[in-house]
Amino acid sequence: MADTEQIDETPGTVQDPGADRAAAKLAQRITAFSKAHGGAEAQVAYIGQRGARIVLVGEDGGWGDLVATSYEIAESAVKKAGITVHETFDGEFAAKVKTGPYEWKRMAGIQLGGPSND
C-alpha cells in the first residue's frame, strides 16, 4: 500500500505556493521595519474577510501595520521574520508605542475641539 498525504490547496493556506510567496514578501517588510527601528514586536488581528492586520511596534516606539489576505499568511510572515508576537495589543506592549502631534490630531482632534477630519 502506498503512503498518501492530503494537502490542503485552499487559497490563503500556507501550503498554497501563492500564500508562501505573500508571507515571504511580508516577512521582508517586517524585517526591514525591525532593522529600521532597533527591533520590533507584533500583534496579529483577524479583520474579517479582508484578512489579518499585523501591527508592528519598534523598540524606538515607532509603529506601523501591514495587512495580509489571511490570518494564516500573517502568522507565517511574523514567524519567518523571527519577531516576538503578542496575543493582544495591551499592557507593556501597547505602552511602547510613541505617538506624536499628527496622531493626536487625527485620532482625538474632533473630541478635543480640534479641526474636523473631513
Side-chain angles (χ1 to χ4, degrees):
M1 180 186 253
D3 290 334
T4 61
E5 181 179 343
Q6 182 174 352
I7 298 174
D8 186 359
E9 295 286 333
T10 306
T13 61
V14 177
Q15 294 86 5
D16 176 22
D20 198 40
R21 282 190 298 276
K25 286 182 180 181
L26 285 169
Q28 287 177 339
R29 293 179 69 188
I30 292 167
T31 301
F33 177 91
S34 181
K35 287 180 182 177
H37 295 275
E41 299 176 42
Q43 192 260 334
V44 178
Y46 177 69
I47 56 174
Q49 290 182 345
R50 292 198 46 100
R53 179 180 186 207
I54 305 166
V55 179
L56 300 167
V57 179
E59 289 300 315
D60 64 357
W63 60 279
D65 64 349
L66 299 167
V67 175
T69 56
S70 75
Y71 192 86
E72 292 79 14
I73 290 172
E75 283 186 317
S76 178
V78 294
K79 184 177 180 181
K80 287 176 187 284
I83 62 172
T84 301
V85 180
H86 296 267
E87 291 290 320
T88 59
F89 191 79
D90 61 4
E92 289 181 31
F93 179 50
K96 289 182 177 185
V97 175
K98 302 281 190 272
T99 55
Y102 172 80
E103 289 85 5
W104 281 100
K105 183 177 178 182
R106 295 294 297 165
M107 292 189 287
I110 294 172
Q111 293 85 354
L112 298 176
S116 67
N117 291 332
D118 294 334

